[in-house]
Amino acid sequence: MSMLTPPGMGGKYRITGNRYPRMRRPRQRRRIVLASIATVCALSLAAWGTLQLIDIFSGGSSASASSGQDKSKAKGAKCTDDAKTQAAGKGKPGDGEKLPEPDSVKVNVLNATDRSGLAKSTADELKKRGFKIGEVANAPGEFDGKVKETGVVLGAPGEDGVARLKVLGTQLDDADTRFDERKGDDVDLIIGDAYKKLAKKKDAEDALKGLSAAGASPSGRDCSR
């Protein structure tokens, strides 16, 4: 008779089989909580990594857009400051780039062609248009017979020198602008083989006005963009 058979049963009832009740230890709540937190952290880290990868492969569009907005704000602020400066009388709207008047530009007219009298006739026309005339002669050896284009305007570098060359350049179509290391404030007009005559006076005046209008804002940039 089995040891599990209750007394008095006489073996009528037996407990058979090999499955017995087992005592299970109570679950620990703390472990469950910690496992849940670890799972949440892992999912969050995976999501963050995915977003970083998307940002990298998309070229960082969000950062670029933010940077562009910042630059736009800064540019707008600068243009506003320029407008305030003009309103305060430090720069009037439409004044544009300050260019010298023709009567303050001294021009040396030099003939690099084999056509005689060209320097004299050109100098006379420039004088009528208000320019000061300096030397009128043949071009030096480095230019004589070597200027194939309409002409060359030559002067000192720097802001003032460039301004004088711009004013003189309006009088000649397709002039080549060059710089040298001269000390004076005069400029040279070297007549080349393709030269026929100066630009029409009306066209030259319009070109000069266009140069001034191009610098309508103090820094010469377009604040509307």
Side-chain angles (χ1 to χ4, degrees), residues 15 28-29 34 36 40 61 64 85 90 92 101 110 116 118 121 127 141 150 158 163 179 183 200 215-216 224:
I15 297 177
Q28 296 183 9
R29 183 175 300 175
L34 291 176
S36 300
V40 172
S61 57
S64 299
T85 300
K90 295 181 180 179
K92 297 179 181 179
E101 296 294 332
L110 308 175
S116 62
L118 204 55
S121 60
K127 186 175 182 179
T150 302
F179 303 97
K183 300 299 182 181
K200 293 181 179 179
S224 64

PDB file of all heavy atoms in Angstrom, residues 15 28-29 34 36 40 61 64 85 90 92 101 110 116 118 121 127 141 150 158 163 179 183 200 215-216 224:
ATOM      1  N   ILE A  15      -3.439   7.152  -4.722  1.00  0.00           N
ATOM      2  CA  ILE A  15      -2.948   8.343  -5.459  1.00  0.00           C
ATOM      3  C   ILE A  15      -1.828   7.885  -6.347  1.00  0.00           C
ATOM      4  O   ILE A  15      -0.800   7.390  -5.856  1.00  0.00           O
ATOM      5  CB  ILE A  15      -2.456   9.430  -4.485  1.00  0.00           C
ATOM      6  CG1 ILE A  15      -3.607   9.910  -3.622  1.00  0.00           C
ATOM      7  CG2 ILE A  15      -1.823  10.589  -5.241  1.00  0.00           C
ATOM      8  CD1 ILE A  15      -3.222  10.909  -2.591  1.00  0.00           C
ATOM      9  N   GLN A  28       8.829  38.487  -6.865  1.00  0.00           N
ATOM     10  CA  GLN A  28       9.335  39.711  -6.232  1.00  0.00           C
ATOM     11  C   GLN A  28       8.967  40.912  -7.097  1.00  0.00           C
ATOM     12  O   GLN A  28       9.385  41.004  -8.258  1.00  0.00           O
ATOM     13  CB  GLN A  28      10.850  39.628  -6.083  1.00  0.00           C
ATOM     14  CG  GLN A  28      11.282  38.497  -5.155  1.00  0.00           C
ATOM     15  CD  GLN A  28      12.780  38.478  -4.957  1.00  0.00           C
ATOM     16  OE1 GLN A  28      13.454  39.404  -5.373  1.00  0.00           O
ATOM     17  NE2 GLN A  28      13.270  37.441  -4.287  1.00  0.00           N
ATOM     18  N   ARG A  29       8.204  41.789  -6.527  1.00  0.00           N
ATOM     19  CA  ARG A  29       7.699  42.950  -7.279  1.00  0.00           C
ATOM     20  C   ARG A  29       8.817  43.873  -7.733  1.00  0.00           C
ATOM     21  O   ARG A  29       8.753  44.463  -8.801  1.00  0.00           O
ATOM     22  CB  ARG A  29       6.720  43.724  -6.398  1.00  0.00           C
ATOM     23  CG  ARG A  29       6.073  44.914  -7.114  1.00  0.00           C
ATOM     24  CD  ARG A  29       5.038  45.559  -6.226  1.00  0.00           C
ATOM     25  NE  ARG A  29       3.983  44.598  -5.883  1.00  0.00           N
ATOM     26  CZ  ARG A  29       2.988  44.882  -5.034  1.00  0.00           C
ATOM     27  NH1 ARG A  29       2.941  46.062  -4.442  1.00  0.00           N
ATOM     28  NH2 ARG A  29       2.065  43.980  -4.769  1.00  0.00           N
ATOM     29  N   LEU A  34      12.003  46.775 -12.004  1.00  0.00           N
ATOM     30  CA  LEU A  34      13.301  47.053 -12.617  1.00  0.00           C
ATOM     31  C   LEU A  34      13.351  46.577 -14.064  1.00  0.00           C
ATOM     32  O   LEU A  34      13.903  47.254 -14.944  1.00  0.00           O
ATOM     33  CB  LEU A  34      14.416  46.377 -11.802  1.00  0.00           C
ATOM     34  CG  LEU A  34      14.672  46.965 -10.415  1.00  0.00           C
ATOM     35  CD1 LEU A  34      15.726  46.149  -9.674  1.00  0.00           C
ATOM     36  CD2 LEU A  34      15.112  48.426 -10.522  1.00  0.00           C
ATOM     37  N   SER A  36      10.836  46.356 -16.091  1.00  0.00           N
ATOM     38  CA  SER A  36      10.009  47.278 -16.891  1.00  0.00           C
ATOM     39  C   SER A  36      10.766  48.547 -17.226  1.00  0.00           C
ATOM     40  O   SER A  36      10.726  49.056 -18.351  1.00  0.00           O
ATOM     41  CB  SER A  36       8.721  47.611 -16.129  1.00  0.00           C
ATOM     42  OG  SER A  36       7.969  46.443 -15.861  1.00  0.00           O
ATOM     43  N   VAL A  40      11.846  50.075 -20.961  1.00  0.00           N
ATOM     44  CA  VAL A  40      11.503  51.429 -21.419  1.00  0.00           C
ATOM     45  C   VAL A  40      12.750  52.181 -21.854  1.00  0.00           C
ATOM     46  O   VAL A  40      12.774  52.856 -22.888  1.00  0.00           O
ATOM     47  CB  VAL A  40      10.759  52.195 -20.311  1.00  0.00           C
ATOM     48  CG1 VAL A  40      10.573  53.666 -20.719  1.00  0.00           C
ATOM     49  CG2 VAL A  40       9.404  51.565 -20.048  1.00  0.00           C
ATOM     50  N   SER A  61      18.452  68.505 -42.333  1.00  0.00           N
ATOM     51  CA  SER A  61      17.588  69.565 -42.858  1.00  0.00           C
ATOM     52  C   SER A  61      17.048  70.460 -41.760  1.00  0.00           C
ATOM     53  O   SER A  61      16.899  71.653 -41.930  1.00  0.00           O
ATOM     54  CB  SER A  61      16.429  68.940 -43.644  1.00  0.00           C
ATOM     55  OG  SER A  61      15.704  68.038 -42.835  1.00  0.00           O
ATOM     56  N   SER A  64      19.768  72.868 -40.747  1.00  0.00           N
ATOM     57  CA  SER A  64      20.003  73.848 -41.801  1.00  0.00           C
ATOM     58  C   SER A  64      18.904  74.889 -41.829  1.00  0.00           C
ATOM     59  O   SER A  64      19.151  76.075 -42.010  1.00  0.00           O
ATOM     60  CB  SER A  64      20.091  73.138 -43.156  1.00  0.00           C
ATOM     61  OG  SER A  64      21.162  72.217 -43.168  1.00  0.00           O
ATOM     62  N   THR A  85      20.013 104.363 -39.873  1.00  0.00           N
ATOM     63  CA  THR A  85      21.133 105.255 -40.131  1.00  0.00           C
ATOM     64  C   THR A  85      20.769 106.287 -41.183  1.00  0.00           C
ATOM     65  O   THR A  85      21.082 107.471 -41.062  1.00  0.00           O
ATOM     66  CB  THR A  85      22.360 104.445 -40.600  1.00  0.00           C
ATOM     67  OG1 THR A  85      22.714 103.513 -39.588  1.00  0.00           O
ATOM     68  CG2 THR A  85      23.539 105.358 -40.886  1.00  0.00           C
ATOM     69  N   LYS A  90      22.617 110.154 -41.618  1.00  0.00           N
ATOM     70  CA  LYS A  90      23.980 109.725 -41.913  1.00  0.00           C
ATOM     71  C   LYS A  90      24.091 109.168 -43.324  1.00  0.00           C
ATOM     72  O   LYS A  90      25.170 108.995 -43.833  1.00  0.00           O
ATOM     73  CB  LYS A  90      24.416 108.664 -40.897  1.00  0.00           C
ATOM     74  CG  LYS A  90      24.495 109.218 -39.479  1.00  0.00           C
ATOM     75  CD  LYS A  90      24.946 108.137 -38.507  1.00  0.00           C
ATOM     76  CE  LYS A  90      25.016 108.682 -37.091  1.00  0.00           C
ATOM     77  NZ  LYS A  90      25.425 107.659 -36.110  1.00  0.00           N
ATOM     78  N   LYS A  92      21.399 109.301 -46.885  1.00  0.00           N
ATOM     79  CA  LYS A  92      20.061 109.523 -47.425  1.00  0.00           C
ATOM     80  C   LYS A  92      19.725 108.442 -48.439  1.00  0.00           C
ATOM     81  O   LYS A  92      20.559 108.085 -49.260  1.00  0.00           O
ATOM     82  CB  LYS A  92      19.991 110.902 -48.099  1.00  0.00           C
ATOM     83  CG  LYS A  92      20.223 112.049 -47.131  1.00  0.00           C
ATOM     84  CD  LYS A  92      20.164 113.370 -47.871  1.00  0.00           C
ATOM     85  CE  LYS A  92      20.414 114.535 -46.908  1.00  0.00           C
ATOM     86  NZ  LYS A  92      20.377 115.827 -47.614  1.00  0.00           N
ATOM     87  N   GLU A 101      33.164 113.531 -59.138  1.00  0.00           N
ATOM     88  CA  GLU A 101      32.667 114.216 -60.328  1.00  0.00           C
ATOM     89  C   GLU A 101      33.758 114.208 -61.401  1.00  0.00           C
ATOM     90  O   GLU A 101      34.953 114.173 -61.085  1.00  0.00           O
ATOM     91  CB  GLU A 101      32.280 115.658 -59.989  1.00  0.00           C
ATOM     92  CG  GLU A 101      31.123 115.784 -59.016  1.00  0.00           C
ATOM     93  CD  GLU A 101      29.821 115.274 -59.603  1.00  0.00           C
ATOM     94  OE1 GLU A 101      29.668 115.337 -60.852  1.00  0.00           O
ATOM     95  OE2 GLU A 101      28.976 114.810 -58.837  1.00  0.00           O
ATOM     96  N   LEU A 110      46.617 108.665 -73.760  1.00  0.00           N
ATOM     97  CA  LEU A 110      47.804 108.113 -74.409  1.00  0.00           C
ATOM     98  C   LEU A 110      47.385 107.251 -75.592  1.00  0.00           C
ATOM     99  O   LEU A 110      46.504 106.402 -75.471  1.00  0.00           O
ATOM    100  CB  LEU A 110      48.612 107.283 -73.403  1.00  0.00           C
ATOM    101  CG  LEU A 110      48.945 107.991 -72.077  1.00  0.00           C
ATOM    102  CD1 LEU A 110      49.627 107.025 -71.125  1.00  0.00           C
ATOM    103  CD2 LEU A 110      49.825 109.210 -72.331  1.00  0.00           C
ATOM    104  N   SER A 116      47.721 108.928 -85.967  1.00  0.00           N
ATOM    105  CA  SER A 116      48.158 110.188 -85.359  1.00  0.00           C
ATOM    106  C   SER A 116      46.967 111.100 -85.032  1.00  0.00           C
ATOM    107  O   SER A 116      45.937 111.053 -85.702  1.00  0.00           O
ATOM    108  CB  SER A 116      49.135 110.915 -86.296  1.00  0.00           C
ATOM    109  OG  SER A 116      48.493 111.238 -87.520  1.00  0.00           O
ATOM    110  N   LEU A 118      44.985 110.994 -82.540  1.00  0.00           N
ATOM    111  CA  LEU A 118      43.866 110.357 -81.839  1.00  0.00           C
ATOM    112  C   LEU A 118      43.814 110.770 -80.367  1.00  0.00           C
ATOM    113  O   LEU A 118      42.738 111.003 -79.822  1.00  0.00           O
ATOM    114  CB  LEU A 118      43.993 108.835 -81.956  1.00  0.00           C
ATOM    115  CG  LEU A 118      42.708 108.015 -81.820  1.00  0.00           C
ATOM    116  CD1 LEU A 118      41.652 108.476 -82.806  1.00  0.00           C
ATOM    117  CD2 LEU A 118      43.010 106.531 -82.025  1.00  0.00           C
ATOM    118  N   SER A 121      42.348 114.525 -80.148  1.00  0.00           N
ATOM    119  CA  SER A 121      40.899 114.654 -80.366  1.00  0.00           C
ATOM    120  C   SER A 121      40.109 114.025 -79.209  1.00  0.00           C
ATOM    121  O   SER A 121      39.066 114.562 -78.805  1.00  0.00           O
ATOM    122  CB  SER A 121      40.512 114.000 -81.687  1.00  0.00           C
ATOM    123  OG  SER A 121      40.836 112.612 -81.694  1.00  0.00           O
ATOM    124  N   LYS A 127      37.512 116.769 -72.263  1.00  0.00           N
ATOM    125  CA  LYS A 127      37.497 118.080 -71.614  1.00  0.00           C
ATOM    126  C   LYS A 127      36.112 118.710 -71.707  1.00  0.00           C
ATOM    127  O   LYS A 127      35.630 119.339 -70.756  1.00  0.00           O
ATOM    128  CB  LYS A 127      38.556 118.982 -72.255  1.00  0.00           C
ATOM    129  CG  LYS A 127      38.723 120.315 -71.549  1.00  0.00           C
ATOM    130  CD  LYS A 127      39.876 121.108 -72.167  1.00  0.00           C
ATOM    131  CE  LYS A 127      40.073 122.425 -71.433  1.00  0.00           C
ATOM    132  NZ  LYS A 127      41.210 123.219 -72.001  1.00  0.00           N
ATOM    133  N   GLY A 141      56.319 102.340 -74.251  1.00  0.00           N
ATOM    134  CA  GLY A 141      56.652 101.146 -75.000  1.00  0.00           C
ATOM    135  C   GLY A 141      55.920  99.891 -74.555  1.00  0.00           C
ATOM    136  O   GLY A 141      55.624  99.011 -75.371  1.00  0.00           O
ATOM    137  N   THR A 150      39.483  98.100 -77.300  1.00  0.00           N
ATOM    138  CA  THR A 150      39.140  99.521 -77.445  1.00  0.00           C
ATOM    139  C   THR A 150      40.118 100.409 -76.688  1.00  0.00           C
ATOM    140  O   THR A 150      40.544 101.448 -77.186  1.00  0.00           O
ATOM    141  CB  THR A 150      37.711  99.766 -76.931  1.00  0.00           C
ATOM    142  OG1 THR A 150      36.809  98.940 -77.647  1.00  0.00           O
ATOM    143  CG2 THR A 150      37.317 101.223 -77.103  1.00  0.00           C
ATOM    144  N   GLY A 158      43.031 100.707 -54.710  1.00  0.00           N
ATOM    145  CA  GLY A 158      42.434 101.357 -53.548  1.00  0.00           C
ATOM    146  C   GLY A 158      41.065 101.922 -53.878  1.00  0.00           C
ATOM    147  O   GLY A 158      40.692 102.070 -55.048  1.00  0.00           O
ATOM    148  N   ALA A 163      37.285 104.192 -57.785  1.00  0.00           N
ATOM    149  CA  ALA A 163      36.177 105.107 -58.072  1.00  0.00           C
ATOM    150  C   ALA A 163      36.490 105.986 -59.279  1.00  0.00           C
ATOM    151  O   ALA A 163      35.639 106.195 -60.155  1.00  0.00           O
ATOM    152  CB  ALA A 163      35.884 105.966 -56.846  1.00  0.00           C
ATOM    153  N   PHE A 179      45.573  98.160 -62.918  1.00  0.00           N
ATOM    154  CA  PHE A 179      46.132  98.954 -61.824  1.00  0.00           C
ATOM    155  C   PHE A 179      47.659  98.934 -61.883  1.00  0.00           C
ATOM    156  O   PHE A 179      48.258  97.965 -62.349  1.00  0.00           O
ATOM    157  CB  PHE A 179      45.659  98.416 -60.468  1.00  0.00           C
ATOM    158  CG  PHE A 179      44.173  98.359 -60.325  1.00  0.00           C
ATOM    159  CD1 PHE A 179      43.485  97.180 -60.567  1.00  0.00           C
ATOM    160  CD2 PHE A 179      43.452  99.479 -59.952  1.00  0.00           C
ATOM    161  CE1 PHE A 179      42.110  97.125 -60.440  1.00  0.00           C
ATOM    162  CE2 PHE A 179      42.080  99.426 -59.818  1.00  0.00           C
ATOM    163  CZ  PHE A 179      41.408  98.255 -60.070  1.00  0.00           C
ATOM    164  N   LYS A 183      51.864 106.898 -57.591  1.00  0.00           N
ATOM    165  CA  LYS A 183      51.653 107.638 -56.349  1.00  0.00           C
ATOM    166  C   LYS A 183      50.587 108.720 -56.484  1.00  0.00           C
ATOM    167  O   LYS A 183      49.923 109.084 -55.521  1.00  0.00           O
ATOM    168  CB  LYS A 183      52.969 108.294 -55.905  1.00  0.00           C
ATOM    169  CG  LYS A 183      54.102 107.312 -55.650  1.00  0.00           C
ATOM    170  CD  LYS A 183      53.744 106.346 -54.534  1.00  0.00           C
ATOM    171  CE  LYS A 183      54.922 105.396 -54.264  1.00  0.00           C
ATOM    172  NZ  LYS A 183      54.591 104.423 -53.186  1.00  0.00           N
ATOM    173  N   LYS A 200      28.825 107.556 -76.575  1.00  0.00           N
ATOM    174  CA  LYS A 200      27.962 108.727 -76.694  1.00  0.00           C
ATOM    175  C   LYS A 200      27.784 109.381 -75.330  1.00  0.00           C
ATOM    176  O   LYS A 200      27.714 108.701 -74.306  1.00  0.00           O
ATOM    177  CB  LYS A 200      26.606 108.321 -77.260  1.00  0.00           C
ATOM    178  CG  LYS A 200      26.672 107.839 -78.707  1.00  0.00           C
ATOM    179  CD  LYS A 200      25.286 107.479 -79.222  1.00  0.00           C
ATOM    180  CE  LYS A 200      25.346 107.012 -80.669  1.00  0.00           C
ATOM    181  NZ  LYS A 200      23.997 106.634 -81.180  1.00  0.00           N
ATOM    182  N   GLY A 215      24.698 101.321 -55.798  1.00  0.00           N
ATOM    183  CA  GLY A 215      25.083 101.339 -54.390  1.00  0.00           C
ATOM    184  C   GLY A 215      24.080 102.082 -53.546  1.00  0.00           C
ATOM    185  O   GLY A 215      24.440 102.855 -52.688  1.00  0.00           O
ATOM    186  N   ALA A 216      22.757 101.836 -53.775  1.00  0.00           N
ATOM    187  CA  ALA A 216      21.705 102.592 -53.097  1.00  0.00           C
ATOM    188  C   ALA A 216      21.696 102.366 -51.599  1.00  0.00           C
ATOM    189  O   ALA A 216      21.320 103.240 -50.843  1.00  0.00           O
ATOM    190  CB  ALA A 216      20.348 102.217 -53.671  1.00  0.00           C
ATOM    191  N   SER A 224      16.242  93.470 -49.908  1.00  0.00           N
ATOM    192  CA  SER A 224      14.953  92.849 -50.168  1.00  0.00           C
ATOM    193  C   SER A 224      15.043  91.342 -50.255  1.00  0.00           C
ATOM    194  O   SER A 224      14.041  90.663 -50.281  1.00  0.00           O
ATOM    195  CB  SER A 224      14.382  93.400 -51.492  1.00  0.00           C
ATOM    196  OG  SER A 224      15.201  93.037 -52.582  1.00  0.00           O
TER     197      SER A 224
END
